[in-house]
Amino acid sequence: MPDANEDPPDIEDALLRRGTRTAAPSAIRSGRDVMSVEVALTVFRQMLRTRALEERSIKMSKSGEAYFWIGGPGEEAFNVCLGLQINKGRGPAHDYLHLHYRNAGIMLAMGMPMIEHTRQLAMRWTDRHSRGRNFVGHYSIPEWNVVPVTSVIEVQFAMAPGTALVQKRHGLKTPGENEGISVVVGGEAGTAEGDFESCLNWSTRPGAELPVLMLVTNNRYGISTDLDSVHTHRPIADRAIPYGVRHETIDGNDPVATWHGIDRAMRYCRRERKPFLLEATVSRLHGHSSSSGAQRNWNEIDPLNAFEQKLIDAGAIDTNAVRALKDEAKAEADEAVVETMKEAEPTREDVYAFTYAPSEVDAAYPKDYTGLPGAK
């Protein structure tokens, strides 16, 4: 997890070796927030990779290589800045992630290969998250505490207090190892669900507060419903006020502001072991999903283009280096798709596999059991 003042893996050195950069500023600024050039270039590269993967995924859905696409073009700044700051690992000492289906950038920033996304999109048997059974973006990585993503809107907010309760108890038993928090992400439309209120309620019980970082990405649409038609002109973050939860609204299209907003929220949750509600205003560049056509909306702010121009204007990178990074990202996405399409799809016989988890003690579901009761 790079700090805003730490050097990330040698991206700047690579650019200098290419001869595409000379002297560069020491920091990128946005208002009062400051990000080192090294971290800014790391964020920018991961945003480029995420965008390349999303655009290739949309092409897959239109070409017949996949059946359905949903994702987060326009949310790259928020997702990447979050992914780079996660305390990654397994168990309550690390962060638990309760995500939704627009979070590819989080996973790429954490180190997930692109092919693990395209395998699920193409519904291949090699899909590690669901064996080709689920929509794209429905990740599940136990070794990173990534709880299985579901299509059911906002249920992740009812689940997050559960892992946070385990983390709170873990901290009491093992002092000094209580840095882990439960991070839950959803859209602004989902906050109309009771699960969202359940999260606020369960994480704020007096004397039993929980380290839940509630993140709402507000793209102003619930599928095809405009936020202005169903919600007052107040920040979603204000929903925290009746519960006494600390809250903030940030510009999720600005990577510098986003980095520091997430950092402030995480530091509070880790230190105080209490909840925080952070709202990030973001863009929706390709509509809801392939079901709505996934056409580009040119009226929305593009956080990638804006950050690219900011870095160029600051002298942190030049157009040749930008082009090289874009070409690398596109080639990586293309290669992932080529390899994916060579791999096997699930068969009819695979339908019952992994339906139930194996059990050490239940005779109906022995340790090697992968089917339904009475069937092998």
Side-chain angles (χ1 to χ4, degrees):
M1 181 181 77
D3 184 81
N5 296 310
E6 276 183 2
D7 290 346
D10 307 310
I11 291 178
E12 186 178 17
D13 290 344
L15 294 174
L16 289 170
R17 285 196 298 274
R18 288 188 186 126
T20 56
R21 285 198 46 227
T22 54
S26 60
I28 304 298
R29 302 178 182 276
S30 179
R32 293 184 297 177
D33 292 324
V34 179
M35 175 185 282
S36 73
V37 168
E38 293 79 10
V39 170
L41 291 173
T42 297
V43 170
F44 180 59
R45 177 174 177 269
Q46 293 297 341
M47 288 175 66
L48 283 171
R49 293 180 67 237
T50 304
R51 179 65 60 83
L53 179 61
E54 293 283 21
E55 290 181 345
R56 189 63 183 87
S57 297
I58 292 171
K59 288 181 180 179
M60 288 179 70
S61 72
K62 292 178 180 291
S63 67
E65 295 168 309
Y67 301 100
F68 176 78
W69 166 84
I70 194 166
E75 299 188 16
E76 292 89 353
F78 173 82
N79 284 331
V80 167
C81 287
L82 176 58
L84 290 173
Q85 296 187 70
I86 291 295
N87 177 6
K88 185 175 71 175
R90 186 169 193 164
H94 302 278
D95 296 343
Y96 280 95
L97 291 172
H98 301 266
L99 307 177
H100 71 155
Y101 42 68
R102 300 194 190 278
N103 294 145
I106 296 174
M107 305 305 297
L108 292 187
M110 290 176 65
M112 184 187 79
M114 285 189 184
I115 197 169
E116 292 188 4
H117 174 96
T118 56
R119 282 169 171 161
Q120 188 172 55
L121 179 61
M123 293 186 170
R124 286 322 198 240
W125 178 247
T126 50
D127 161 31
R128 65 159 294 167
H129 309 294
S130 64
R131 291 296 185 184
R133 299 162 184 257
N134 224 332
F135 289 151
V136 68
H138 289 55
Y139 309 115
S140 174
I141 304 183
E143 62 269 27
W144 291 356
N145 283 351
V146 178
V147 178
V149 176
T150 175
S151 295
V152 183
I153 301 300
E154 217 70 2
V155 295
Q156 66 270 27
F157 277 83
M159 299 162 64
T163 54
L165 181 58
V166 171
Q167 291 170 311
K168 186 103 174 196
R169 291 174 176 174
H170 174 77
L172 294 174
K173 293 179 180 179
T174 54
E177 294 186 19
N178 63 339
E179 286 293 303
I181 62 176
S182 289
V183 179
V184 56
V185 186
E188 86 290 340
T191 62
E193 298 282 353
D195 301 278
F196 182 74
E197 296 293 328
S198 293
C199 187
L200 284 164
N201 191 14
W202 276 95
S203 61
T204 56
R205 292 176 300 154
E209 295 87 353
L210 298 174
V212 181
L213 174 53
M214 292 167 270
L215 300 170
V216 177
T217 50
N218 184 354
N219 66 19
R220 303 179 306 285
Y221 283 94
I223 305 181
S224 59
T225 302
D226 192 312
L227 178 65
D228 289 340
S229 69
V230 295
H231 196 276
T232 60
H233 293 277
R234 293 177 61 87
I236 296 293
D238 284 359
R239 301 277 292 279
I241 294 174
Y243 295 91
V245 172
R246 185 171 292 194
H247 57 283
E248 184 179 352
T249 300
I250 61 172
D251 180 359
N253 285 326
D254 181 341
V256 180
T258 297
W259 180 281
H260 287 280
I262 291 172
D263 179 63
R264 287 190 296 271
M266 281 187 165
R267 288 178 185 272
Y268 176 82
C269 289
R270 297 192 198 285
R271 182 182 67 249
E272 302 296 331
R273 314 308 289 161
K274 292 181 179 180
F276 194 108
L277 174 57
L278 182 66
E279 174 189 9
T281 56
V282 297
S283 295
R284 192 175 78 164
L285 298 183
H286 283 271
H288 175 72
S289 67
S290 56
S291 295
S292 60
Q295 298 301 312
R296 176 64 185 264
N297 183 349
W298 297 102
N299 295 321
E300 295 269 353
I301 296 171
D302 185 336
L304 182 57
N305 287 350
F307 197 44
E308 174 186 323
Q309 193 60 53
K310 190 181 190 74
L311 294 174
I312 291 173
D313 291 345
I317 197 169
D318 65 21
T319 55
N320 290 333
V322 168
R323 173 48 54 195
L325 290 175
K326 287 182 177 180
D327 289 345
E328 288 173 6
K330 183 179 182 300
E332 184 183 1
D334 288 342
E335 182 180 359
V337 175
V338 169
E339 292 303 313
T340 293
M341 301 313 293
K342 297 176 183 177
E343 297 173 350
E345 297 179 283
T347 66
R348 189 183 298 261
E349 290 70 32
D350 296 325
V351 169
Y352 298 122
F354 308 108
T355 305
Y356 293 92
S359 171
E360 298 284 348
V361 296
D362 191 338
Y365 309 108
K367 187 173 182 180
D368 62 348
Y369 187 79
T370 59
L372 294 171
K376 273 290 187 181

